[in-house]
Amino acid sequence: MKRKSLLLALLLCTILVFTACGSKEDVQAPAEPEPAAEEGGGEEQPEGEAAPEGEKKLKIAYTCQDLTNTYFVDVANGVKDRCEELGIEVNILDGRADVANQITAFENLTAEGIDGIIVSPIDQTALEPSVAAAIEAGIPVISGNQLVEGSQAFVTVPEYDYGFAIGEEAGKWIKENLDGKAKVAIFDYPELESIIDRGNGIEEGILSVAPDAEIVARQSANSTEKGMANMENILQANPDVEVVACVNDAGALGAYEAMMAAGKESDRVFIGGLDAISEALNKINEGGIFRATVDIQPYETGKLFVDTLLEVKESGPIEDTIVIPMKVVNASNIGDYTLTD
């Protein structure tokens, strides 16, 4: 199994080096889940090769947490495009932040006898029976982002380390630009259990470099709308907040809008997020108060999900966790990225 994990790690590294890092945005949050390719299903094709004309295609599904989150839009696009490259039919199913939707999706997919399922779970524990039932029916299932016990492979970024990376970057900003002292707001998302570690990583990353920083607010925000509303409220109580670190770029972009509207554009202000979505990269490139994000290449992660599922389908479960590399993106390396309009 370790040999297979090594092969997957080498595949991801190759993708990271040779693939442009901008995001694709052709998947939108659908009103109803729809198939992303032509109807089909049947025999497996060798990895990397499209199904010959006239032969039935493999059919797989990806059920994600919420397609209002730009990160999952990018992941879904990676899944969709990799399946198109390989001649695989895929359904992208939006969980809409409600685990009941994912449970229903699993029931339908298992009854259909689909060829494989990738899940980025909303509630890891609640989905354990659904995953077990699918595997019992002979359908391989892998987890992405957060682990559902019983899955046959797990592809992820360690949540605490992910948060620590942007927290540490914020701490460096405080130390180098604010004499080690600042009032700080953190946007976390404790509604999703696994993200609690990410929020803790942010706080501890900041304090590891800037122990005199003062965390004046820690609020839940995983969308631009929530980030903007929370930042407006925080500024009413703490108008001198100068550093905001967030569990994703969507919340950070909301904080950015609120800070700009409040006239807080300043060489002292730092806003940072996670996921390296295209809008965040563009903001960093502008040289304003959105200073940093952390890149885990969601589009390429989607491709890796597909390749991992095919590996499990061909050779069985992968025991070792497949870790997605991460990299801080700031003014010093934004030139390495392909930006979009």
Side-chain angles (χ1 to χ4, degrees):
M1 297 300 176
K2 292 184 178 180
R3 178 185 65 83
K4 300 184 187 306
S5 298
L6 178 59
L7 290 173
L8 288 166
L10 291 173
L11 171 62
L12 178 57
C13 291
T14 303
I15 292 171
L16 290 172
V17 172
F18 292 105
T19 303
C21 298
S23 298
K24 291 196 161 193
E25 298 181 345
D26 45 52
V27 167
Q28 303 295 328
E32 296 292 339
E34 296 180 356
E38 296 177 1
E39 292 298 324
E43 297 181 2
E44 179 182 359
Q45 301 302 321
E47 185 175 343
E49 298 179 10
E53 187 175 354
E55 290 192 15
K56 293 182 178 179
K57 295 179 178 180
L58 282 176
K59 183 176 182 180
I60 69 171
Y62 173 48
T63 171
C64 64
Q65 293 174 9
D66 190 351
L67 283 176
T68 65
N69 184 330
T70 340
Y71 169 81
F72 286 110
V73 172
D74 288 346
V75 173
N77 279 320
V79 169
K80 182 177 71 70
D81 288 353
R82 183 60 173 154
C83 286
E84 184 176 344
E85 291 170 9
L86 299 176
I88 298 170
E89 181 184 353
V90 62
N91 279 357
I92 306 295
L93 303 173
D94 185 1
R96 300 178 187 173
D98 184 349
V99 69
N101 291 331
Q102 288 194 313
I103 291 172
T104 298
F106 262 88
E107 290 173 352
N108 293 338
L109 294 168
T110 301
E112 180 183 346
I114 201 163
D115 295 305
I117 302 172
I118 304 163
V119 57
S120 293
I122 296 163
D123 185 321
Q124 298 146 269
T125 303
L127 283 173
E128 287 180 17
S130 300
V131 168
I135 292 172
E136 179 67 21
I139 301 169
V141 180
I142 72 164
S143 290
N145 305 106
Q146 286 83 38
L147 174 65
V148 180
E149 290 293 339
S151 297
Q152 294 167 304
F154 181 35
V155 184
T156 192
V157 170
E159 293 290 354
Y160 178 86
D161 296 346
Y162 193 28
F164 194 94
I166 194 61
E168 185 177 43
E169 183 73 5
K172 290 177 182 177
W173 177 270
I174 295 167
K175 181 178 180 179
E176 295 169 5
N177 296 278
L178 305 177
D179 297 323
K181 297 180 180 181
K183 289 190 176 182
V184 180
I186 293 173
F187 288 171
D188 58 12
Y189 190 56
E191 292 88 340
L192 192 59
E193 183 178 356
S194 62
I195 305 300
I196 294 173
D197 283 343
R198 191 186 301 185
N200 292 339
I202 291 175
E203 182 167 340
E204 292 175 25
I206 292 169
L207 297 177
S208 72
V209 183
D212 293 330
E214 181 184 359
I215 312 297
V216 298
R218 183 166 167 175
Q219 298 187 12
S220 174
N222 70 328
S223 68
T224 301
E225 294 75 17
K226 289 181 180 179
M228 186 172 182
N230 283 0
M231 196 70 240
E232 289 170 347
N233 292 334
I234 289 168
L235 286 173
Q236 289 180 7
N238 297 279
D240 49 353
V241 166
E242 294 181 307
V243 174
V244 188
C246 310
V247 293
N248 66 7
D249 284 335
L253 288 163
Y256 170 88
E257 295 298 335
M259 292 286 274
M260 293 295 288
K264 298 294 184 179
E265 187 173 12
S266 164
D267 290 341
R268 295 176 58 87
V269 172
F270 173 101
I271 297 174
L274 296 168
D275 296 340
I277 66 173
S278 57
E279 189 174 354
L281 295 174
N282 287 337
K283 293 296 184 190
I284 294 169
N285 190 54
E286 290 171 5
I289 61 175
F290 199 113
R291 308 287 180 181
T293 186
V294 178
D295 184 17
I296 53 172
Q297 294 205 72
Y299 177 74
E300 301 304 333
T301 296
K303 290 188 172 185
L304 181 63
F305 285 173
V306 175
D307 291 338
T308 302
L309 179 63
L310 293 178
E311 181 71 17
V312 167
K313 186 171 178 59
E314 178 183 350
S315 303
I318 298 170
E319 295 177 358
D320 296 337
T321 298
I322 300 164
V323 176
I324 301 167
M326 66 186 79
K327 180 174 67 173
V328 173
V329 185
N330 54 30
S332 70
N333 63 354
I334 189 64
D336 297 340
Y337 285 75
T338 300
L339 303 176
T340 59
D341 294 331

